[in-house]
Amino acid sequence: MSYAYLFKYIIIGDTGVGKSCLLLQFTDKRFQQVHDLTIGVEFGARMITIDNKQIKLQIWDTAGQESFRSITRSYYRGAAGALLVYDITRRETFNHLTSWLDDARQHSNSNMTIMLIGNKTDLEHRRAVSFEEGQQFANEHGLIFLETSAKTAANVEEAFINTARRIYEKIQQGVFDVSNESFGIKVGMAAQQTGSVNVSIQGQQRSSSGCC
Amino acid sequence: MSLNVTGEDDRTELTAEQESDLAPIEKRWVQLAKTAGRGESESTLRSLLRTGVPPALRSRVWMAFSGAAAEVQPGMYEQLLAGKNSTRRTTNETQIELDIPRSGILDEATQNRLRRVLRAFAAFRPSCGYVQGQNFIAAGLLRVMHEEDAFWLLAIIVEAYLPDHFTQHMIGSLVDSQVLAELLAKRMPDVAAKLAALEVPVQLLVMRWFLSLWANVLPVPTLLRVYDLLFVLGPHVMPLVGLACFHVMRPTILAAKHADELSASHALQPLREAPPDQIVSAILSAIVTQGATQTVESPALLETTKSVCSETVKRARLGAHEGSDQKGSDPTTAPTDWGVAVRARLEEKRRAKEAALAAESEVRRTMQPQGLLYKEVNTEALERAIASARARDVNAALLNEAQAALDHKLAARLVQRALSHAMEDVTKEQKAQARAAKQFADEAAAEERRVREAMQPRLFGRGIDLMALERALERGRSQEDHKKAADEAASPAS
């Protein structure tokens, strides 16, 4: 199927917070109670529609254990969006957010859109991090924020789509040079046909004036 | 068959009575396990591996051949499990608890065994600790092994099969992925090109192959057969397992239109569906072609592999250094004494084997042109070859077996050629000639065997028994007429 744009995402966060389950829920609309842990990097894809345009999301799902960080770092670079996930029932996964964020900022392009996600809202009775704390962290660091449940699918669509919408807005504003694939964005056949040449020209001007 | 598969008794010596109850193939493997296959040629082991190690003997054979059996320190396992708590230990154990249910094992008893093996290993190698991937490997081993054996074999795997894979920057994993990528580009350029076109890095696909030693990739029956190969033949088989996997996945990869069709759940499907025999034979034929190619273009190929390796290591270390903001010493440069000793021993074993194989191939090369098959033994060449082989302490049995296999192949080729010519021309006379040729070849093979049997004991003792040699060769020469008939039958009909 042809798309107007392809956005590359990366999902990061501590091990066991539900990164792979979020991806599975988004791409296959199902939940696996017992999901094999992810070794290295996995990926999935799905088509969404924004502003009547077909947008393909290609999502890299990474291993969360500390030892894998030097491997997964190399996947930040080509990503337009990142989902930074913690588990609302395990405080330490929230405490590690700063280190994840440092890593992401250091190794990605500066315009990467980051969505903070507090996952496992279906386990409300075991909650260890309040919604307000998550919201505050997001505000302080300029992130979008949502709480989700990969199990019940609550807010899962929104998490992926709102991130895409933000990236799309940035394209409209000419923040990216979309002809440069290192931003994690690719222009598809559909976009070229509908004449989004403007966007790319705008983008080039921006980038030559030194936005990165 | 009186042996227990997940056996309590699979770690002790078999009694004579138990041993006599075994099927012949099982007896053979019991014997092989006793010597860890010393003196057996790789081709013999390969042909035995085509049918796999008998399930009841797997644990024994894996332990013996991998070198794990020699590393066992009695009492160590219990000691490690009883060790004192520490922060590091707690970190490891929290992670292990999180991963036990995500390791593909459902029954609680096995989960408990898995927990103990992983905890013991983390305590045994604190510089490395528990790293994801180990859980899948241990779970795979526990399908066959006693937990203490699984622990020691896991230790050997981490040390000798996957060195630097589970250390801080996973350099080993980068190197192995890169080497496999290079091999893929050489062996299956179409697959490599397709992956590049879809922007799917080879590393992305293969990292979990190595880090879980295929336990998270292949279904159990296939996994056990692949482990037979890996542990019996050695770590050098790993890239070939990778190539074999690509071989099975090839149609799927070539047919893919988008990168996402190659996510693990899709791309690995052919591996899950392929019969174990298909994968085993793909690996074995990869070994054969690999070996064959190496004798032809070995310097170039080896140099490439070596330079890729060192370049990748350099890059990886550099990258690791740049990205290193963690405190503490780099465990990749500080392996424990145990690890060093094991690696040295395994390296020594590997070298000895290489020397033996080199000597063997030299003997073949020298003897073949004036081959015994043609009844004109070049005694000088033979003696030279044998002297050089003896100098390298080549096991007589190994040499003999390799030679027999080679000559058998030559004889068979002669027969086949004669027969195929006979098929082309249907005159009775030519058929008769072909039969004569076949008979000659059979007799030649038999005669040759007699020659060798007569010569063998003495060749490798003090010197050649020239009388026996002469007698044997005399018998061979008397069949000169048959040879002519065979040559005529073998030459293409004009």
Side-chain angles (χ1 to χ4, degrees), chain A residues 165-179:
Chain A
R165 189 165 288 134
R166 183 67 63 92
I167 297 168
Y168 184 75
E169 284 164 14
K170 286 186 186 172
I171 294 177
Q172 300 287 298
Q173 294 157 8
V175 173
F176 298 114
D177 168 10
V178 288
S179 67

Side-chain angles (χ1 to χ4, degrees), chain A residues 1 3 8 15-17 34-45 56 58 60 63-71 73-75 90 92 103 106-107 181 186, chain B residues 95 98-99 101-104 130-133 135-136 167-170 173-174 199-201 203-205 207-208 211-212 216 258-260 262-265 323 325-326:
Chain A
M1 225 199 309
Y3 51 79
K8 285 190 185 169
T15 171
V17 297
V34 181
H35 192 289
D36 272 8
L37 64 88
T38 307
I39 294 182
V41 181
E42 241 293 28
F43 58 105
K56 182 167 183 170
Q58 193 176 83
W60 310 83
Q65 200 188 6
E66 179 73 35
S67 321
F68 289 85
R69 284 228 197 166
S70 52
I71 301 276
R73 268 185 203 126
S74 55
Y75 292 89
R90 284 194 295 139
E92 71 272 17
D103 233 26
Q106 197 183 333
H107 294 94
E181 289 186 6
K186 249 194 212 180
Chain B
Q95 187 64 56
L98 205 57
D99 291 349
R102 306 193 286 165
S103 304
Y130 165 72
V131 178
Q132 292 175 341
N135 61 322
F136 290 116
T167 46
Q168 200 182 348
H169 302 297
M170 298 194 155
S173 165
L174 293 175
E199 296 176 25
V200 176
Q203 183 204 44
L204 182 89
L205 291 177
M207 206 166 129
R208 66 152 81 188
L211 283 166
S212 75
N216 185 227
H258 302 286
D260 40 288
L262 297 181
S263 68
S265 48
D325 41 14
Q326 281 91 4

Side-chain angles (χ1 to χ4, degrees), chain B residues 89-327:
Chain B
R89 194 181 174 102
T90 316
T91 314
N92 277 324
E93 288 183 2
T94 311
Q95 187 64 56
I96 290 169
E97 281 319 301
L98 205 57
D99 291 349
I100 295 270
R102 306 193 286 165
S103 304
I105 278 186
L106 298 176
D107 81 285
E108 210 184 313
T110 314
Q111 286 190 350
N112 289 335
R113 295 198 295 152
L114 178 60
R115 175 179 295 112
R116 285 193 296 269
V117 170
L118 294 177
R119 282 183 179 186
F121 181 76
F124 183 58
R125 301 283 279 124
S127 66
C128 153
Y130 165 72
V131 178
Q132 292 175 341
Q134 291 167 3
N135 61 322
F136 290 116
I137 300 175
L141 299 179
L142 284 172
R143 295 189 187 269
V144 171
M145 309 180 88
H146 185 275
E147 66 178 82
E148 189 176 342
D149 283 349
F151 161 76
W152 285 107
L153 185 50
L154 176 65
I156 283 284
I157 290 170
V158 172
E159 211 55 63
Y161 283 74
L162 302 171
D164 289 337
H165 276 250
F166 297 108
T167 46
Q168 200 182 348
H169 302 297
M170 298 194 155
I171 289 167
S173 165
L174 293 175
V175 171
D176 279 339
S177 305
Q178 187 56 39
V179 168
L180 181 52
E182 295 277 329
L183 271 176
L184 184 71
K186 265 185 183 299
R187 302 275 151 178
M188 280 175 254
D190 52 348
V191 173
K194 181 76 182 192
L195 291 175
L198 294 174
E199 296 176 25
V200 176
V202 173
Q203 183 204 44
L204 182 89
L205 291 177
V206 307
M207 206 166 129
R208 66 152 81 188
W209 298 3
F210 290 113
L211 283 166
S212 75
L213 202 66
W214 282 274
N216 185 227
V217 176
L218 299 171
V220 176
T222 312
L223 182 71
L224 301 182
R225 295 287 304 281
V226 168
Y227 278 7
D228 288 346
L229 295 176
L230 282 178
F231 299 135
V232 170
L233 297 177
H236 66 282
V237 177
M238 285 201 309
L240 306 180
V241 176
L243 278 185
C245 288
F246 274 118
H247 174 72
V248 173
M249 289 158 64
R250 188 165 169 270
T252 311
I253 294 175
L254 294 182
K257 290 199 175 62
H258 302 286
D260 40 288
E261 291 168 48
L262 297 181
S263 68
S265 48
H266 295 106
L268 298 179
Q269 203 52 37
L271 293 176
R272 299 199 179 106
E273 286 163 2
D277 276 338
Q278 189 196 341
I279 292 182
V280 166
S281 98
I283 297 168
L284 286 171
S285 56
I287 293 174
V288 172
T289 44
Q290 171 86 348
T293 315
Q294 270 185 359
T295 56
V296 180
E297 55 171 32
S298 73
L301 183 68
L302 282 182
E303 273 319 302
T304 321
T305 314
K306 239 189 266 166
S307 72
V308 167
C309 252
S310 68
E311 196 47 42
T312 315
V313 170
K314 223 191 293 168
R315 268 207 312 275
R317 285 203 194 279
L318 210 66
H321 181 69
E322 281 169 359
S324 170
D325 41 14
Q326 281 91 4
K327 281 157 248 123

Side-chain angles (χ1 to χ4, degrees), chain A residues 2 9 12 25 28-29 44 70 78 90 95 100-102 110 112 141 148 187 190 193:
Chain A
S2 66
Y9 279 17
I12 53 175
Q25 182 60 260
D28 289 31
K29 297 196 189 326
S70 52
R90 284 194 295 139
N95 295 340
W100 280 110
L101 205 54
D102 287 349
S110 53
M112 185 165 81
H141 295 89
T148 61
V187 184
Q193 283 156 10

